Amino acid sequence: MFISRPLFSLALSVLFGEMLLCPELPLSLRFVLLLFYLFYLSLLFRKKKQKILLLSLFLFFLSSLHFQNALGHFQKQQECIERVIPLNCTVEGTISYISENETAYRIFLKNCIVNSSLEKKPKELSKEQEEKWEARNNLPFQKIQVLFKKTAQEDSEIPQYTEFYPGDRMVFHGKFMELSPAMNEGEFSFLQYCKGEGIEAFFLANKTSPASPSPLVQNEILHAMRATLIKNKGEVRENNSSPFLKLLYKLKRQASCDLEKLYPEQQSAFLKSLFLGEKSALSKEEKGLYQEAGIAHILAVSGLHLSLVGGTCFVLLRLLGMELNYASILSSFFVLSFALFTGSSGSTLRAMLMFFVYFFGKNLGRGQDRISSLSLSLLLLLFLQPLFLYSVGFQCSFYSLFLLLLLSLRDGKERRKALSKKWERAKRKKRFTELLRLLPKKIKEGGKELFLFYLGLFPLFSFLQSSLPLYAPLLNLLLLPLLPFIFLLGILSILFSHLPPLFFPLVKLLSQSLSFLLSLFHSLICFSLQLPYSSLLLGKLSLSALFLYLFLFYILFLFPLQSVVKRRRQMQKKEKEKQINSSSPFISLFAIKNICYLKNILSLLFLCTIPLFLPSPPKDLEITALYVGQGDGFLIRKGNFVMTIDNGSSSDKHFPENTLLPYCKAKRIQKIQYALITHSDIDHTSGIQGILEEGSTENYKSNYKLQIENLILPVQAKDDYRYDLLKRLAGRHGARLLYWKNGNSIVYGNKNHSVSDTTPPSDTLPSSGTAPSSDIVSPSDTAPSEKSAFLSLRCYYPLTNAPMEEANAHSLGCILRYGDFSMVFTGDMPKEAEEAMLSAIKKEGQSPSVDIVKLAHHGSKTSSSPIFLSETRGKFALFSYGKNNRYGHPHQITLEKCSYFRLIPLETAKVGEIQIKTDGKKYEIVAPCRVTSSLPVEMPDS
């Protein structure tokens, strides 16, 4: 099936050439992919495709070198950006694309020069000095995205006079922003997004308000805007924009204004995304809605949109009597214009290239082999931009179309083709009785194909959004037929709005009809999300599980086994052989029916084992220190038991929806048994507060809900107003309140967990809420031989119920123990609290010695006293702080103390999320999102 398609072999070689050098893929997985590729090459050799084999090998090595060069260049550019991030810079480049919404402009520049000296070149430099200065201060970049916000004083009319267009050479003044990678599992990686789009840097241009023109100088608005632009934002160096690109940009801006006038804000934003590729106009609520419903693909301009635009244009031209070659050329030009019009994303370029191949083949009188056409598109795009491999839109576009093509080639192709012919014949001849007779078979085949398509998309949903929209297939069947009508009504309403006022009633009719369709569209989406089990939590598949799933899915559901066996038997029949050759013992043992029977059994077994591919809870203890920015955040997991300590950030206002909830979703966490808050500071509480607000965010509500059963606060929180909001939210959420001080603890065994309150008085229990569960097990009742089977978290500070004005002073101080492993959690405790905690531990006759010390107050000099570090005798010191924070954490004095006591630093700001895994005897420390530092893989028991 694939061997006979040379373009497929070449595209596969290019793809594997890049994937085998992709550093994000584990070495073991790359080794498996290499074996698979070598197996494919052996098939080419057996089929005597020597020319294709040699060309494939050539492209394999060429693409590997090309990808490695592109990746090395991108990393080198990031190193350059790191040096100039603190500095004010100027960026000069040619505009390739402009996008805007109500608040900001996004301008994409190509062939850029970055000057970090603000073009202030020293005088009287020698030629050698001048060359060094140029190399140090004038840095070349291929593509930069510039963002500047619209000022509050700009009224709605001013932006239309902005005099820069695609093709202009511009200079901007401002600062660069870091392309931040994903620092925690489940997080969005802005670095990977930019890498996939070929964006080497993100530049934030300065902005100031332009002066308001007086009525006497209204005719000088353009000049004033230009002067303001040169002074504050950018300078037009060369006004040589392409007339064609300039026309497209003007048409786009005019269409955007027309949509804003004709439709409400929410509907106009959707239509801008659909017609103009302007997704930035959509609110976060709307984007989340379409993603949750599983129909976000309609917002990305791809083959669906180009087929409506280009296909309609071609059909109309042919109906008007235009010859095939001229209609193909004009339609191709129209498709190219639409691609440039909407930003030329990876999915758009893929669809555009396939359209060109289709029109070219049609003019040659040849049919289209869509797998070869898709392969050619992949081949050209990866050579054009090797880092397209990182683009999620590029991946989804090629994968989903390839999956559809494989579905059409699976077993039963002739039967399905015959059924389609009968159906079309009956439709053409209007034989309704025959249509009714064929309808059940048609529904059965369509339902089976739809089921297999979404079964193939299952790992994609898991990997990208950690959930599966259960009603997405039905929703797409209902909504996709509406899209042609939406396109037609939208385009007609825009065109007729420029006609004389006589046509205004017609424009109103068209816009109201489309508005009704969009309201129906939106209502169906909302209704689907309100149905039971509208979204199934999957978690995020590992890369190994994803590739294994895809391999088994292809073998069991897509590989045309019957066709292969039949072809083999026909060949043997021609050779007049009574038995199948010994080279295929499997086929010789089973007839075709038995093979199908076995395949069906294996397919059912595969369906039953799908849950095994999903992430499962850890059998042993797993402690995760999230990178929260400036703050603290810990998750403790063992089996289905989940506990959090703090989780807040003062540097990320959207920490719950950006980090905490995506991480829990990726790990398939649905319930947190205990959420412990050490004290009331926002950098320790904001994440839990967001969860208690029912997972709602500032913009939209997600279907993913995280339940907190118990909220643990310091005992001082009972009468402290700073905890009132948390207590009210906990009551509304249904979480039980627990107030802790010295002596409280949690003990979790293999089958139950309990709260021990033997030391504190009874008034530490909440006055309201559900009663404690009946499966309470006191630590004193635990047999010594079972020590290693229990996880315990015991509180040693605060010592009393006495109120403390300083929140840091009553931070909960706890020690977690699991077998021989132990770790201390200190919140933001000052030195005096640390010493009091040590006294409480010794008073109970226990040793304060631990394996890992979570340093108090993010490594501040007011905490981590020498006595505390000496007594705890830790091997590692865990710092949780934000990059470039304004507090100067961690303090140099604290780092020196750690060095003196031989504590190995673990810093979330440098390596991102840190995981500590232990079986109670040995423990290992890993950084799943390691950025710059390496961590020890495994540590022996103490």
Side-chain angles (χ1 to χ4, degrees):
M1 182 169 66
F2 298 124
I3 303 294
S4 59
R5 294 178 167 92
L7 283 174
F8 177 83
S9 300
L10 302 181
L12 188 71
S13 298
V14 171
L15 180 63
F16 273 62
E18 294 196 5
M19 290 178 68
L20 292 176
L21 291 180
C22 185
E24 286 77 12
L25 294 180
L27 282 173
S28 57
L29 183 57
R30 284 190 265 173
F31 179 71
V32 172
L33 291 176
L34 177 60
L35 292 179
F36 176 81
Y37 181 65
L38 291 175
F39 171 74
Y40 184 82
L41 292 180
S42 69
L43 293 180
L44 286 176
F45 182 77
R46 288 175 58 189
K47 294 290 183 179
K48 299 181 180 180
K49 305 276 185 178
Q50 281 83 0
K51 291 182 180 179
I52 300 299
L53 175 62
L54 292 174
L55 188 55
S56 297
L57 285 172
F58 172 75
L59 289 179
F60 173 82
F61 289 111
L62 183 62
S63 64
S64 298
L65 292 173
H66 192 30
F67 176 76
Q68 190 66 25
N69 181 55
L71 194 60
H73 176 76
F74 183 85
Q75 292 170 348
K76 182 180 177 182
Q77 298 297 73
Q78 298 314 300
E79 293 172 1
C80 293
I81 291 298
E82 285 181 8
R83 296 200 302 268
V84 300
I85 277 180
L87 308 174
N88 287 311
C89 302
T90 61
V91 173
E92 179 181 345
T94 304
I95 297 177
S96 60
Y97 182 70
I98 304 172
S99 172
E100 67 176 288
N101 56 23
E102 293 181 353
T103 60
Y105 294 94
R106 286 190 307 133
I107 296 181
F108 294 88
L109 301 178
K110 62 181 181 180
N111 303 325
C112 309
I113 297 293
V114 173
N115 189 285
S116 57
S117 66
L118 298 178
E119 300 184 335
K120 296 178 181 178
K121 187 176 179 180
K123 298 179 180 179
E124 298 180 358
L125 292 177
S126 65
K127 187 175 182 181
E128 184 179 354
Q129 289 175 330
E130 185 175 353
E131 289 177 357
K132 289 182 178 179
W133 187 92
E134 292 283 348
R136 184 173 62 252
N137 293 283
N138 291 337
L139 307 174
F141 284 79
Q142 292 178 358
K143 185 176 181 181
I144 293 178
Q145 180 178 338
V146 177
L147 174 74
F148 59 87
K149 296 181 180 179
K150 299 178 181 178
T151 55
Q153 286 79 10
E154 282 181 333
D155 58 50
S156 59
E157 294 183 0
I158 287 181
Q160 65 181 320
Y161 296 106
T162 305
E163 203 182 59
F164 51 84
Y165 298 97
D168 283 346
R169 190 76 180 170
M170 296 283 296
V171 175
F172 290 93
H173 305 265
K175 281 191 173 184
F176 283 97
M177 293 180 64
E178 181 186 10
L179 301 184
S180 55
M183 300 291 279
N184 302 283
E185 294 174 273
E187 259 186 359
F188 171 73
S189 174
F190 187 53
L191 177 68
Q192 183 170 323
Y193 164 77
C194 291
K195 193 185 294 186
E197 298 298 322
I199 300 170
E200 296 175 343
F202 187 84
F203 190 76
L204 185 61
N206 297 330
K207 64 181 181 65
T208 55
S209 303
S212 300
S214 64
L216 299 176
V217 290
Q218 288 293 330
N219 58 338
E220 298 182 3
I221 287 181
L222 181 59
H223 177 74
M225 280 294 297
R226 187 178 181 83
T228 303
L229 178 67
I230 294 172
K231 181 179 179 182
N232 300 307
K233 293 181 181 177
E235 176 185 344
V236 182
R237 283 285 173 90
E238 297 177 18
N239 194 344
N240 58 351
S241 57
S242 162
F244 176 63
L245 294 178
K246 184 175 180 179
L247 175 62
L248 286 180
Y249 180 64
K250 284 185 174 182
L251 288 174
K252 182 177 180 177
R253 295 197 67 177
Q254 185 59 55
S256 179
C257 293
D258 293 341
L259 290 173
E260 289 174 359
K261 292 176 183 177
L262 293 172
Y263 301 97
E265 181 180 354
Q266 182 178 324
Q267 294 182 354
S268 67
F270 172 76
L271 291 173
K272 285 181 189 178
S273 175
L274 200 65
F275 297 158
L276 313 178
E278 286 285 0
K279 287 192 288 186
S280 59
L282 279 171
S283 66
K284 190 174 182 180
E285 179 183 5
E286 284 296 295
K287 290 178 183 177
L289 189 72
Y290 286 98
Q291 185 175 0
E292 290 279 348
I295 55 170
H297 59 90
I298 66 172
L299 301 176
V301 178
S302 60
L304 177 65
H305 303 71
L306 263 68
S307 62
L308 288 171
V309 174
T312 303
C313 176
F314 179 76
V315 170
L316 288 176
L317 291 175
R318 292 291 288 158
L319 288 175
L320 291 173
M322 186 174 288
E323 293 184 10
L324 178 62
N325 53 349
Y326 293 117
S328 299
I329 293 172
L330 282 177
S331 299
S332 299
F333 175 76
F334 197 72
V335 167
L336 174 63
S337 303
F338 187 72
L340 296 172
F341 187 74
T342 55
S344 305
S345 64
S347 56
T348 308
L349 292 175
R350 188 270 305 162
M352 182 186 72
L353 288 172
M354 292 188 69
F355 261 98
F356 290 168
V357 172
Y358 169 75
F359 289 135
F360 184 70
K362 205 168 183 63
N363 278 272
L364 293 178
R366 299 184 61 179
Q368 183 191 24
D369 179 29
R370 292 201 289 173
I371 289 183
S372 296
S373 176
L374 183 68
S375 302
L376 179 62
S377 301
L378 180 67
L379 185 71
L380 294 176
L381 289 179
L382 286 182
F383 265 111
L384 175 70
Q385 171 55 274
L387 298 185
F388 263 146
L389 187 68
Y390 288 95
S391 171
V392 173
F394 179 86
Q395 296 166 8
C396 294
S397 176
F398 275 92
Y399 174 76
S400 56
L401 182 56
F402 187 56
L403 178 60
L404 284 172
L405 297 179
L406 289 179
L407 284 171
S408 65
L409 297 175
R410 72 186 194 279
D411 283 331
K413 179 182 176 182
E414 293 79 7
R415 175 173 45 82
R416 292 192 300 275
K417 191 179 290 186
L419 178 62
S420 296
K421 286 182 179 179
K422 289 179 182 179
W423 179 267
E424 292 299 326
R425 190 187 308 116
K427 233 171 46 167
R428 190 171 58 253
K429 295 184 178 180
K430 298 181 180 181
R431 297 176 179 173
F432 299 108
T433 307
E434 190 174 353
L435 285 174
L436 288 174
R437 184 176 60 82
L438 295 174
L439 185 61
K441 293 181 180 179
K442 195 74 175 174
I443 293 175
K444 180 182 176 182
E445 288 296 333
K448 186 178 179 180
E449 187 157 341
L450 189 63
F451 171 76
L452 290 176
F453 179 65
Y454 274 88
L455 192 63
L457 292 180
F458 173 87
L460 209 61
F461 279 114
S462 174
F463 197 75
L464 296 179
Q465 65 184 56
S466 303
S467 61
L468 178 68
L470 197 59
Y471 304 118
L474 295 176
L475 198 60
N476 276 287
L477 286 176
L478 291 172
L479 298 182
L480 290 182
L482 294 176
L483 280 182
F485 297 100
I486 292 174
F487 261 87
L488 178 64
L489 292 173
I491 293 172
L492 289 178
S493 64
I494 292 173
L495 292 176
F496 288 174
S497 65
H498 294 277
L499 295 178
L502 178 66
F503 293 89
F504 280 2
L506 179 59
V507 174
K508 188 175 181 180
L509 176 64
L510 291 171
S511 60
Q512 287 181 348
S513 301
L514 180 52
S515 185
F516 171 76
L517 269 182
L518 293 178
S519 300
L520 178 63
F521 196 91
H522 194 271
S523 300
L524 285 172
I525 296 171
C526 294
F527 175 72
S528 72
L529 292 177
Q530 292 171 358
L531 294 174
Y533 307 105
S534 60
S535 182
L536 299 180
L537 183 63
L538 303 177
K540 186 174 182 177
L541 266 70
S542 65
L543 285 170
S544 301
L546 185 143
F547 279 92
L548 178 61
Y549 179 97
L550 293 177
F551 174 74
L552 293 176
F553 174 73
Y554 173 75
I555 293 297
L556 294 174
F557 294 99
L558 302 180
F559 183 69
L561 184 61
Q562 293 183 32
S563 303
V564 172
V565 174
K566 286 181 179 178
R567 248 191 336 262
R568 183 77 183 210
R569 290 172 66 88
Q570 288 173 0
M571 289 172 60
Q572 293 169 350
K573 191 174 181 180
K574 289 179 181 179
E575 295 173 2
K576 298 181 179 180
E577 294 181 1
K578 296 181 180 179
Q579 294 182 349
I580 300 176
N581 287 338
S582 59
S583 61
S584 302
F586 181 83
I587 298 176
S588 65
L589 294 174
F590 298 97
I592 295 178
K593 290 184 179 180
N594 292 334
I595 292 176
C596 296
Y597 181 70
L598 179 62
K599 186 179 178 182
N600 290 336
I601 292 176
L602 293 175
S603 300
L604 288 174
L605 287 174
F606 173 79
L607 294 176
C608 294
T609 57
I610 284 179
L612 299 179
F613 290 91
L614 303 178
S616 57
K619 294 180 181 178
D620 294 316
L621 177 63
E622 180 182 284
I623 304 167
T624 301
L626 295 176
Y627 174 69
V628 301
Q630 184 62 22
D632 274 5
F634 295 89
L635 279 91
I636 300 167
R637 302 172 67 209
K638 184 182 184 299
N640 291 319
F641 177 78
V642 181
M643 179 180 182
T644 64
I645 296 180
D646 287 334
N647 279 289
S649 175
S650 60
S651 58
D652 184 0
K653 295 181 180 179
H654 302 286
F655 167 69
E657 60 266 33
N658 289 346
T659 301
L660 184 55
L661 288 172
Y663 177 84
C664 293
K665 194 175 182 181
K667 295 294 184 180
R668 294 184 72 200
I669 297 174
Q670 294 179 291
K671 185 185 295 183
I672 296 173
Q673 279 77 10
Y674 295 94
L676 184 147
I677 300 293
T678 59
H679 63 292
S680 59
D681 287 354
I682 193 67
D683 60 337
H684 293 254
T685 63
S686 63
I688 298 301
Q689 181 178 317
I691 295 174
L692 291 174
E693 292 171 344
E694 302 296 334
S696 64
T697 69
E698 185 179 313
N699 296 303
Y700 78 100
K701 284 190 175 182
S702 169
N703 270 2
Y704 174 60
K705 305 295 181 184
L706 196 55
Q707 182 68 31
I708 296 177
E709 292 185 344
N710 301 279
L711 179 65
I712 301 174
L713 302 173
V715 68
Q716 283 75 17
K718 293 179 67 177
D719 302 313
D720 193 329
Y721 72 93
R722 289 171 291 190
Y723 295 89
D724 287 349
L725 177 59
L726 280 173
K727 290 188 281 188
R728 285 198 303 269
L729 290 173
R732 193 173 68 182
H733 184 83
R736 182 177 65 156
L737 281 172
L738 297 173
Y739 300 95
W740 270 26
K741 66 175 183 180
N742 178 29
N744 290 102
S745 65
I746 291 174
V747 179
Y748 175 74
N750 292 327
K751 296 183 180 179
N752 55 43
H753 56 86
S754 61
V755 182
S756 174
D757 296 291
T758 56
T759 305
S762 59
D763 63 357
T764 61
L765 291 173
S767 57
S768 62
T770 59
S773 58
S774 59
D775 61 346
I776 290 181
V777 180
S778 175
S780 59
D781 300 331
T782 304
S785 62
E786 297 178 354
K787 176 184 175 183
S788 62
F790 287 93
L791 163 69
S792 69
L793 182 74
R794 189 169 183 83
C795 179
Y796 294 98
Y797 188 85
L799 303 180
T800 67
N801 298 16
M804 301 180 192
E805 184 176 349
E806 177 61 40
N808 290 350
H810 66 240
S811 291
L812 290 175
C814 306
I815 293 183
L816 180 143
R817 295 185 177 92
Y818 182 66
D820 296 327
F821 172 83
S822 56
M823 179 175 177
V824 62
F825 294 90
T826 53
D828 282 355
M829 297 171 66
K831 296 176 182 178
E832 298 77 13
E834 291 175 343
E835 294 172 6
M837 180 180 176
L838 288 175
S839 300
I841 296 171
K842 292 177 181 178
K843 190 175 180 180
E844 293 189 9
Q846 297 184 18
S847 170
S849 176
V850 295
D851 295 292
I852 299 176
V853 180
K854 184 269 164 188
L855 293 186
H857 208 179
H858 322 289
S860 168
K861 64 180 179 181
T862 61
S863 303
S864 308
S865 64
I867 295 175
F868 185 76
L869 297 179
S870 174
E871 293 285 341
T872 51
R873 301 178 184 177
K875 297 179 180 65
F876 294 91
L878 199 152
F879 294 83
S880 180
Y881 64 93
K883 292 181 181 178
N884 305 318
N885 63 84
R886 59 190 178 95
Y887 308 101
H889 294 157
H891 200 277
Q892 184 61 34
I893 293 176
T894 306
L895 293 172
E896 290 173 358
K897 284 187 286 187
C898 289
S899 176
Y900 179 81
F901 289 103
R902 296 183 179 180
L903 284 163
I904 301 173
L906 304 172
E907 303 173 68
T908 57
K910 290 186 177 179
V911 299
E913 172 194 340
I914 297 173
Q915 280 186 3
I916 304 159
K917 301 177 182 180
T918 176
D919 59 359
K921 297 179 181 179
K922 295 183 178 181
Y923 60 94
E924 63 174 353
I925 304 173
V926 295
C929 305
R930 181 162 46 248
V931 182
T932 58
S933 297
S934 59
L935 293 178
V937 178
E938 185 172 337
M939 300 306 300
D941 53 335
S942 56

